[in-house]
């Protein structure tokens, strides 16, 4: 909704992380209220050990109407009329593969580290390249999406090496 500066039905996080662990359904369901009104930024904080040290220049807006649907947390995002907000709207409108949301949370994992059992706090949710638990802003239900994204990532990586005159070893 461009006039209201809202991006509707954005996938914030899913159950499986490419970082090697899984979010339990109960952890995601119980965390929904923690996402309400949290800030949205472009990219993660420069220092991953200081995720709250952020610049207002990177602020996109905030999360509204968080909900648990189809195994993931979704929300609408109220977007500011700033350079970061306009960049975010452009990214959301194109729905590029490999561009999506990545949350920064304080969580409790199982003893073996394989499962997030509880999300204690949500610091923010950031628009990033290659997020760990989502693949796009909307999360297509198309089962070929993962292989298409992997293929596009390979093409982009090869193009970047050619463009820079570098060779891949």
């Amino acid at each position: 909704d461009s006039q209201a500066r809202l991006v509707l039905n954005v996938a914030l996080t899913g159950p499986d992380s490419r970082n090697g662990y899984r979010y339990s359904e109960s952890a995601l369901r119980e965390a929904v209220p923690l996402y309400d009104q949290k800030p949205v930024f472009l990219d993660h904080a420069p220092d991953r050990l200081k995720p709250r040290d952020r610049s207002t220049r990177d602020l996109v807006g905030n999360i509204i109407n968080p909900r648990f649907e189809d195994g993931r947390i979704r929300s609408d995002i109220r977007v500011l009329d700033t350079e970061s907000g306009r960049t975010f709207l452009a990214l959301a409108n194109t729905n590029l593969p490999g561009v999506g949301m990545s949350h920064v949370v304080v969580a409790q994992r199982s003893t073996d580290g394989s499962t997030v059992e509880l999300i204690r706090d949500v610091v923010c949710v950031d628009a990033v390249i290659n997020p760990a638990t989502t693949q796009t802003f909307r999360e297509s239900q198309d089962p070929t999406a993962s292989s298409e994204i992997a293929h596009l990532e390979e093409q982009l990586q090869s193009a970047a090496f050619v463009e820079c005159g570098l060779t891949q070893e």
Side-chain angles (χ1 to χ4, degrees), residues 128-141:
V128 301
I129 300 291
N130 299 318
T133 66
T134 64
Q135 296 174 5
T136 68
F137 286 109
R138 302 282 184 316
E139 287 303 285
S140 169
Q141 299 301 320

Side-chain angles (χ1 to χ4, degrees), residues 68-86:
F68 183 82
E69 291 179 357
D70 300 323
R72 65 186 66 250
I73 297 176
R74 295 181 176 278
S75 79
D76 304 329
I77 298 176
R78 183 180 300 125
V79 180
L80 298 169
D81 187 13
T82 60
E83 184 176 340
S84 291
R86 289 186 292 276

